[in-house]
Amino acid sequence: MRVVVQRCKSAAVSVAGETVGAIGEGLLLLVGFTHDDTDEDLRWMADKVSSLRIFEDESEKMNLSLQEIGGSVLSVSQFTLYGDCRNGRRPNFMAAARPEQAEAQYLTFNDYLRTKISVVETGIFGAMMDVSLVNWGPVTLVLDSPRSKT
């Protein structure tokens, strides 16, 4: 499992010109799955994302988590995170999980996040989406689950 974490002042996702998810301060997550991801990976990632200390405290040090600031999450599925561009000019997406597997994992991952974060907004799995954000910092991190082989 791979997640791109972007700390944001605000973020939104729209489909066909209609906003389907929007948040204020918090994290925009671009979420991708591979073939061998397990429930353990989903739980680990939800815990990691919700407890990452990437928000400033009163001393302006990254010392507070999303949970501690009461921030929100906008979770957007993105299979292209597993695009392999090492050979040729066209990305190879063979490492990305099949849509039926990835959709179930995406829904479960978001459910796990909701046990830790009160506001979790989402995009629409498989839809062509427009994502906007005001990246705060900017702070952008890439997280791979510990068992990730790709």
Side-chain angles (χ1 to χ4, degrees):
M1 181 176 184
R2 182 169 293 153
V3 176
V4 175
V5 177
Q6 295 182 299
R7 187 178 73 176
C8 63
K9 292 277 188 183
S10 63
V13 61
S14 61
V15 175
E18 181 179 333
T19 300
V20 296
I23 62 167
E25 289 183 359
L27 299 176
L28 168 64
L29 306 179
L30 304 176
V31 184
F33 302 94
T34 192
H35 306 288
D36 61 351
D37 289 333
T38 66
D39 196 65
E40 182 181 335
D41 295 307
L42 307 179
R43 287 181 187 275
W44 182 90
M45 191 64 77
D47 184 57
K48 179 62 82 174
V49 165
S50 63
S51 61
L52 269 177
R53 295 175 10 175
I54 59 173
F55 295 91
E56 281 91 12
D57 62 15
E58 63 280 347
S59 300
E60 297 184 2
K61 296 204 184 288
M62 284 189 187
N63 202 28
L64 300 175
S65 70
L66 186 65
Q67 292 170 319
E68 292 170 313
I69 69 155
S72 304
V73 166
L74 176 58
S75 174
V76 178
S77 63
Q78 189 167 358
F79 79 95
T80 61
L81 293 179
Y82 278 100
D84 183 349
C85 299
R86 291 177 289 185
N87 296 315
R89 297 189 192 314
R90 182 177 302 186
N92 175 330
F93 297 107
M94 296 302 291
R98 303 275 314 151
E100 55 278 359
Q101 175 191 356
E103 183 173 19
Q105 289 177 318
Y106 176 65
L107 296 171
T108 301
F109 171 66
N110 291 328
D111 286 343
Y112 289 150
L113 279 175
R114 288 183 180 104
T115 68
K116 300 171 178 304
I117 304 300
S118 58
V119 177
V120 177
E121 295 280 314
T122 65
I124 297 176
F125 185 89
M128 181 63 76
M129 295 176 274
D130 294 325
V131 180
S132 63
L133 88 143
V134 177
N135 196 312
W136 183 5
V139 173
T140 302
L141 302 167
V142 178
L143 303 177
D144 285 308
S145 58
R147 299 177 344 92
S148 182
K149 296 176 187 165
T150 54

